[in-house]
Amino acid sequence: TLTKIDYTATNYGNTTIPSKSNYTQTFKSYIKASCNSTTYPSICYKTLFPYATKIEADPLKLCNVSLSLALKAAKSASSTISKILKKNNLTKIAEQVVQDCFGNVKDSIGELKDSLDAMGHLDGVDRKFQISNIKTWVSASITNDQTCSDGFDEMNVDSTLTDKIRKIVLDVARKTSNALYFINNNVY
């Protein structure tokens, strides 16, 4: 279990306050240690390192930033899929599969938004209920991403299009999976 580390510095006699770069390195070490146990550690490092000073060494901030970045990836995927749908050169089958995928990604966005909102309300008497909801929504988001990808298996759709969409949706699913790991292990 990860706990928040207090990095406040006090100046006693000859003791000097650590530099900002020392804090940043400590925060990056926290992220690295946190990411090591996730299913997709390299994606975790790459995604979270730029936010080290925002996350500090706070497990709830880690969860919130991870969820926010999964949501950002889902919105980006939705935008890309929407642009693909606007092209008029899709076959009827391809258009239907892409439309279904678009719906799944939109559902995923809604679930991630609900999760982030609930993360901001964990101080009430219904904390356990909210945590349960968050875990359910984040899991459902991953399922929706997988459903999108599976839709391409069932139909004969251009492999270039399939690969493009699968790649962006897989990125969303992996970031969401890492966020779920943090939620399962840091929020009680």
Side-chain angles (χ1 to χ4, degrees):
T1 302
L2 301 171
T3 56
K4 183 175 180 176
I5 301 169
D6 183 10
Y7 290 102
T8 54
T10 309
N11 192 351
Y12 294 108
N14 294 332
T15 305
T16 56
I17 298 172
S19 70
K20 185 177 178 181
S21 65
N22 287 346
Y23 283 133
T24 302
Q25 192 55 47
T26 300
F27 299 152
K28 285 184 176 183
S29 295
Y30 171 77
I31 290 171
K32 184 171 173 87
S34 299
C35 287
N36 280 340
S37 299
T38 64
T39 308
Y40 307 102
S42 62
I43 291 170
C44 185
Y45 307 138
K46 181 180 172 186
T47 304
L48 294 176
F49 270 6
Y51 300 91
T53 56
K54 181 176 182 171
I55 294 168
E56 297 174 334
D58 184 323
L60 285 179
K61 288 180 183 178
L62 179 68
C63 294
N64 277 306
V65 170
S66 296
L67 276 173
S68 294
L69 293 172
L71 176 60
K72 182 179 177 182
K75 287 179 176 179
S76 176
S78 175
S79 175
T80 300
I81 295 167
S82 176
K83 288 174 187 168
I84 291 169
L85 278 170
K86 290 178 182 172
K87 292 181 180 178
N88 293 326
N89 59 347
L90 295 176
T91 66
K92 280 194 178 272
I93 292 172
E95 185 176 355
Q96 184 59 52
V97 172
V98 175
Q99 187 67 48
D100 289 348
C101 177
F102 182 66
N104 291 128
V105 172
K106 287 298 228 184
D107 289 344
S108 181
I109 289 170
E111 290 148 354
L112 291 170
K113 283 181 179 178
D114 289 344
S115 299
L116 275 166
D117 183 53
M119 285 291 293
H121 299 94
L122 290 179
D123 53 356
V125 292
D126 63 346
R127 180 181 174 91
K128 286 185 180 183
F129 178 70
Q130 290 292 357
I131 292 168
S132 177
N133 284 342
I134 292 165
K135 290 177 181 181
T136 300
W137 289 321
V138 176
S139 295
S141 175
I142 295 167
T143 300
N144 278 314
D145 297 334
Q146 185 62 51
T147 301
C148 164
S149 187
D150 289 348
F152 289 95
D153 291 338
E154 299 165 9
M155 300 294 190
N156 185 17
V157 179
D158 175 63
S159 63
T160 304
L161 176 64
T162 298
D163 292 345
K164 180 178 183 175
I165 292 176
R166 274 193 172 146
K167 182 178 177 183
I168 60 172
V169 173
L170 183 61
D171 179 61
V172 176
R174 288 177 174 170
K175 287 175 180 170
T176 306
S177 174
N178 285 342
L180 181 60
Y181 173 83
F182 293 136
I183 292 162
N184 282 332
N185 291 284
N186 294 307
V187 183
Y188 304 103

